Amino acid sequence: MSANPKLCPSCGKDPGTPVVCQYCCAAIEPHRRITEKKLAMVAVGVSFIGVALLVWASMVETPITPIKNLASDGAFLHYRVKGEVIRFSEFKTPYEDSNIFSFWIDDGSSDKSDEAVLKLKVDGPVYADLKEAGKVPQRGDIVDVEGTLYAGEGFRLLSLNTAAMLKLEKKGGK
Amino acid sequence: MESAVLFACVGFALLGVVVSAAASIIPGLHIYNVIAITMTIVFAVFSFFEGLDPMYLTSFLIGLVVGFAMLFTITSQFFQPCDDESRYIMLPHEKFLYEGRGHEAVILGGVGSLVAIVAIGIGFPLFGSYAAFFRDLLRPHLYWIIGTVIVFLLMTEWPKDPGTAPTPWKRILDGWIPIMMGYLSFGLAGLLGMFIFHRTIIPTDSTFQSLMPVFVGLFAIPSQLCTLIGTVKSPKQHVCKSVELYTEDVVRGGASGLLAGIFAGFTPAITPGPALLLSGHATVTSGDRQFIIGGGAGRVMYYVGTLLFFFMPGVFLRRGGAAINISLFFVPETYGQFLGITGIIVLMGAVGFLMIFGYSRMAQWMVSKVHYKWFSLFGMFVMVGLVGYITGWQGLCILTVATMIGMIPNLWHTRRINLLAVLLVPMFFNMWGNGTDVARWLGFL
């Protein structure tokens, strides 16, 4: 409310009437107005929604998807898979001074071996981070890995975007 | 996401809000221009940012956008009063300014912004997955939706002269000239848009800001020029401690704004202005308060909500300059990242709303100490300097042409909304599949 109760709380002029200001037509009665303090309290309440979302974000995990379910309709989406490393390869990229590391995992989600096996690709910088962290997967390791799915007719692979998205669950590597 | 990363992200976002608050003091400066400066700095010292988690820079840009969406209209409200020499329509927030209620208009706009922040915080995590469905549903129809918006804009142009000229012939002319000048500004802006989209002269290393000189020229500089040549006196403002507000205003104004923001977010080339015009008709909003609240809600939903679509797993809708710039260095993936960004947006939205009270008082204090024309003059120098720095002399050429087109609505009392043809026309033809043919026919290819 305005400091002087006789003045219009909206425009600060003499309202003339006790209900509506004759200058700006604003309602003067307190029950038809909301104070800045109350609005600020609403904003503080809204900030709790933000905090709740941040807590949720810190707890949420990507669910593990069986490899047999990964198909082209999920291309470019983020997936998490878990399985045993069955083979790997490494080659030097032709245009950059870095290597690309690939490995294949089997999660046993299907009797058909090609359905349960997925190729995972690790590009140069991420591969360097994996080496630095001593997390390069070897044959026989159980890995829990997240990445972007690239899939089309006859191919599907998961691309690892950061080293943190690979967890070595069981070191059984040879 | 790790808690430590989230904490750091909140810190970077707060920094973004502070920078956007400082940038919002300059009337006409758009947040995408600030992002352009940020990206130029990032590219210059890329080796420093390369080692950082990309979520930090993303959070900073998110803070910039949220802070800007909440605050940038406040200084425009006080620093650019409308003058009937150059403006025919007085919008509700301008009416409030002339009644000494500028602060109340700012708070009402803030209430609308807060409505959008709540809608984003609750609606997007719970119902966001439907966005992919609507995106796929709308995709094949976007060209005719844009075409319909064009028809609506052209059809709703009306004679603004009161018809008091002494002869019938003069009255006909007075009625038709503003309409025809509206169509002319639409046509010229459309031509400029076709040129920019198909044969821009902006240097290739600045093409991430190829629309900057166009928008500065069409909208920012003419507003500043009109403020400079205007003679109107801004009345003394009353800082109210309470505002007249009803639940109906919040619901109807908020719904209108949210609808406008979502529509603008899903439809390329549609900005909050025309979207609000459409949603205002669709939801039959009434009264000044609902208009102002709708404006606040639509602005935040468009700038912030649309940006959040980019982080939504399975949607990845890249709309607006902020999303385009973030996509240069960061590809969002996980649901955790999406929730983290949503949380940061809501938190920064609440902070931005709390800042509104003080920011409005500061703007009023500034305008009481320094004549408002100085702010526009300073803003104009900053904008022209930025365009020259980022896009070179080629950008300045485009800026000059765009400014001349942008002055038409002010000089002939027609609507500035017609200038959005700069996006609507090329997007309509491109999405229809005829953009290249039309550009070739115009001699641009």
Side-chain angles (χ1 to χ4, degrees):
Chain A
M1 288 293 290
S2 180
N4 184 348
K6 287 182 182 169
L7 299 181
C8 168
S10 278
C11 67
K13 294 183 181 127
D14 182 358
T17 69
V19 181
V20 174
C21 174
Q22 63 181 348
Y23 288 100
C24 68
C25 299
I28 295 167
E29 296 162 306
H31 71 274
R32 295 172 73 181
R33 306 180 66 85
I34 184 165
T35 59
E36 280 189 341
K37 205 177 276 180
K38 281 183 184 163
L39 286 171
M41 281 164 64
V42 172
V44 171
V46 169
S47 71
F48 285 114
I49 300 174
V51 173
L53 285 164
L54 289 174
V55 172
W56 188 6
S58 69
M59 295 194 309
V60 72
E61 278 193 347
T62 310
I64 294 173
T65 306
I67 289 176
K68 69 170 184 181
N69 293 349
L70 299 179
S72 57
D73 57 358
F76 305 113
L77 295 185
H78 185 83
Y79 284 102
R80 178 180 168 203
V81 291
K82 188 175 173 181
E84 183 183 343
V85 179
I86 54 170
R87 65 177 190 275
F88 60 85
S89 72
E90 182 181 350
F91 67 91
K92 193 176 180 312
T93 53
Y95 304 112
E96 289 176 34
D97 187 23
S98 61
N99 289 358
I100 288 182
F101 181 75
S102 301
F103 60 101
W104 285 257
I105 64 168
D106 187 338
D107 72 345
S109 58
S110 171
D111 294 337
K112 294 177 188 167
S113 62
D114 58 331
E115 280 186 358
V117 174
L118 180 71
K119 179 183 177 182
L120 291 104
K121 194 175 129 203
V122 187
D123 284 324
V126 183
Y127 181 41
D129 291 345
L130 277 183
K131 279 202 282 194
E132 198 179 310
K135 283 173 35 177
V136 178
Q138 302 294 315
R139 197 179 305 133
D141 289 351
I142 304 289
V143 292
D144 182 336
V145 59
E146 293 182 43
T148 310
L149 179 71
Y150 294 89
E153 203 173 322
F155 79 97
R156 51 183 190 161
L157 68 87
L158 204 68
S159 177
L160 189 71
N161 297 318
T162 63
M165 288 191 174
L166 184 142
K167 287 182 200 134
L168 282 176
E169 291 276 309
K170 193 176 157 196
K171 193 80 182 153
K174 300 161 207 159
Chain B
M1 282 184 73
E2 290 174 31
S3 305
V5 175
L6 281 171
F7 270 116
C9 287
V10 170
F12 275 93
L14 275 172
L15 183 66
V17 172
V18 172
V19 172
S20 71
S24 297
I25 290 173
I26 303 167
L29 184 66
H30 198 282
I31 198 61
Y32 294 163
N33 307 142
V34 182
I35 289 176
I37 304 165
T38 309
M39 295 310 293
T40 309
I41 295 168
V42 169
F43 290 147
V45 287
F46 187 69
S47 55
F48 171 72
F49 286 96
E50 205 175 22
L52 284 179
D53 191 319
M55 275 293 284
Y56 296 159
L57 187 57
T58 303
S59 301
F60 174 72
L61 295 180
I62 294 279
L64 275 181
V65 175
V66 177
F68 175 79
M70 303 289 290
L71 301 171
F72 88 103
T73 53
I74 297 175
T75 46
S76 308
Q77 162 101 46
F78 293 109
F79 296 171
Q80 294 186 317
C82 81
D83 187 347
D84 61 356
E85 286 293 316
S86 58
R87 294 280 294 280
Y88 188 81
I89 306 159
M90 185 188 274
L91 294 172
H93 61 272
E94 292 163 337
K95 182 180 145 195
F96 271 53
L97 181 77
Y98 282 100
E99 289 172 351
R101 301 164 69 192
H103 184 70
E104 188 170 355
V106 166
I107 292 174
L108 288 173
V111 168
S113 304
L114 202 61
V115 167
I117 289 291
V118 172
I120 289 166
I122 296 173
F124 278 48
L126 296 180
F127 308 108
S129 54
Y130 294 103
F133 167 76
F134 283 110
R135 178 201 59 192
D136 296 339
L137 183 75
L138 288 173
R139 191 175 280 159
H141 303 286
L142 286 174
Y143 77 95
W144 67 257
I145 292 174
I146 296 172
T148 312
V149 173
I150 291 174
V151 171
F152 177 81
L153 290 184
L154 295 175
M155 278 179 67
T156 51
E157 194 61 83
W158 78 98
K160 297 165 192 75
D161 188 83
T164 52
T167 63
W169 182 240
K170 185 80 172 63
R171 285 198 289 275
I172 287 173
L173 270 183
D174 286 347
W176 274 99
I177 283 175
I179 296 177
M180 297 315 289
M181 294 313 278
Y183 293 160
L184 178 71
S185 53
F186 183 94
L188 290 173
L191 266 179
L192 180 65
M194 288 299 290
F195 176 75
I196 295 296
F197 272 68
H198 293 277
R199 196 179 180 171
T200 185
I201 55 171
I202 300 292
T204 47
D205 54 353
S206 303
T207 45
F208 69 106
Q209 283 293 329
S210 60
L211 287 176
M212 179 186 184
V214 180
F215 275 89
V216 170
L218 287 178
F219 298 102
I221 301 291
S223 289
Q224 287 157 340
L225 281 174
C226 287
T227 308
L228 286 176
I229 59 179
T231 53
V232 71
K233 193 171 177 293
S234 188
K236 187 176 180 297
Q237 298 298 308
H238 173 69
V239 180
C240 60
K241 296 272 178 17
S242 67
V243 294
E244 183 187 1
L245 187 65
Y246 307 99
T247 311
E248 186 194 0
D249 294 335
V250 179
V251 173
R252 290 184 65 183
S256 155
L258 295 180
L259 186 66
I262 290 279
F263 179 67
F266 273 108
T267 319
I270 309 289
T271 54
L276 265 171
L277 188 67
L278 290 162
S279 73
H281 279 73
T283 58
V284 202
T285 51
S286 61
D288 297 339
R289 288 186 301 276
Q290 288 178 21
F291 182 93
I292 296 172
I293 291 170
R299 197 169 57 242
V300 170
M301 183 53 85
Y302 173 71
Y303 284 117
V304 182
T306 304
L307 176 58
L308 194 53
F309 282 139
F310 176 63
F311 295 90
M312 202 175 275
V315 180
F316 302 123
L317 200 63
R318 205 179 59 157
R319 290 268 192 276
I324 290 169
N325 279 284
I326 290 172
S327 71
L328 294 176
F329 64 90
F330 180 55
V331 180
E333 280 192 272
T334 66
Y335 195 63
Q337 287 170 339
F338 163 66
L339 286 175
I341 293 292
T342 314
I344 288 167
I345 284 173
V346 175
L347 213 49
M348 295 309 117
V351 170
F353 182 81
L354 291 172
M355 284 172 73
I356 281 175
F357 303 115
Y359 202 80
S360 173
R361 285 172 170 83
M362 184 196 72
Q364 288 172 64
W365 176 79
M366 288 171 74
V367 86
S368 69
K369 298 289 173 193
V370 182
H371 196 276
Y372 64 80
K373 287 189 181 190
W374 287 107
F375 294 104
S376 281
L377 190 65
F378 177 65
M380 200 160 72
F381 275 114
V382 170
M383 295 306 305
V384 173
L386 263 181
V387 169
Y389 176 68
I390 293 175
T391 59
W393 64 267
Q394 297 95 328
L396 290 174
C397 290
I398 292 174
L399 173 83
T400 309
V401 174
T403 302
M404 288 194 278
I405 298 171
M407 284 302 287
I408 295 174
N410 299 297
L411 298 177
W412 275 277
H413 286 170
T414 177
R415 296 181 305 170
R416 297 206 309 171
I417 207 165
N418 289 314
L419 300 172
L420 276 175
V422 74
L423 286 181
L424 290 168
V425 170
M427 290 302 279
F428 168 68
F429 283 122
N430 285 353
M431 300 200 93
W432 192 9
N434 297 322
T436 313
D437 294 333
V438 175
R440 192 174 295 118
W441 180 74
L442 289 168
F444 296 153
L445 288 176

